[in-house]
Amino acid sequence: MAIRTIVLREDPSLRNISRPVTNFDARLHTLLDDMRETLIEADGVGLAAPQVGVLRRIAIVFNGVNYLELINPEIIGTEGEQTGAEGCLSVPGICGTVSRPNFVKVRAQDRNGNHFEVGGEGLTARAFCHEIDH
């Protein structure tokens, strides 16, 4: 496992559209492990693959207990609303006030390609939305 460099807002890769993951192989597993270690090192709540220079639909979100690996995630349900400060590891030191759903349900694949659904509220819901936006 390795700590990857988090690209900053000036990097044009953050403005490109990520491609779906189709190969669930050792290379993907290494990327996921590296992203988790990078997120831990950065003391963040979420990290998307484009933030480490990989244009794939992958995100890691820490829900306060577990690091959730979301491959090809899509939001399938939302409820309520919350408004609060939100930051981004690619834009250090800057926060903005953003409105997001208070509860978000996501359908994604795990590192082996198996589909699953997961829900989160509060900060986890906010992180789901933010990372999937990347």
Side-chain angles (χ1 to χ4, degrees):
M1 291 184 283
I3 305 296
R4 301 224 179 178
T5 300
I6 297 173
V7 299
L8 300 179
R9 68 178 170 199
E10 298 83 15
D11 192 302
S13 68
L14 291 174
R15 290 167 185 74
N16 293 330
I17 297 173
S18 296
R19 297 180 306 273
V21 173
T22 56
N23 295 322
F24 295 82
D25 55 14
R27 188 172 173 193
L28 171 66
H29 297 183
T30 298
L31 173 61
L32 289 164
D33 293 341
D34 290 355
M35 285 178 63
R36 184 180 64 248
E37 290 302 312
T38 302
L39 181 59
I40 291 167
E41 177 72 17
D43 196 27
V45 176
L47 183 69
Q51 291 179 274
V52 293
V54 178
L55 291 176
R56 292 285 186 238
R57 294 185 57 222
I58 302 169
I60 307 259
V61 171
F62 181 61
N63 69 358
V65 178
N66 297 305
Y67 288 88
L68 305 172
E69 299 176 345
L70 306 170
I71 302 165
N72 299 322
E74 58 183 309
I75 295 172
I76 59 171
T78 64
E79 292 179 18
E81 186 177 349
Q82 60 173 309
T83 300
E86 189 169 311
C88 180
L89 294 175
S90 292
V91 189
I94 297 176
C95 288
T97 302
V98 179
S99 293
R100 300 275 193 192
N102 193 52
F103 174 83
V104 174
K105 188 171 188 178
V106 174
R107 179 171 169 78
Q109 290 171 275
D110 66 18
R111 65 173 48 216
N112 299 310
N114 300 308
H115 289 272
F116 68 96
E117 294 179 2
V118 63
E121 62 183 357
L123 182 58
T124 301
R126 180 178 293 280
F128 284 161
C129 292
H130 182 101
E131 300 313 327
I132 291 171
D133 281 351
H134 273 292

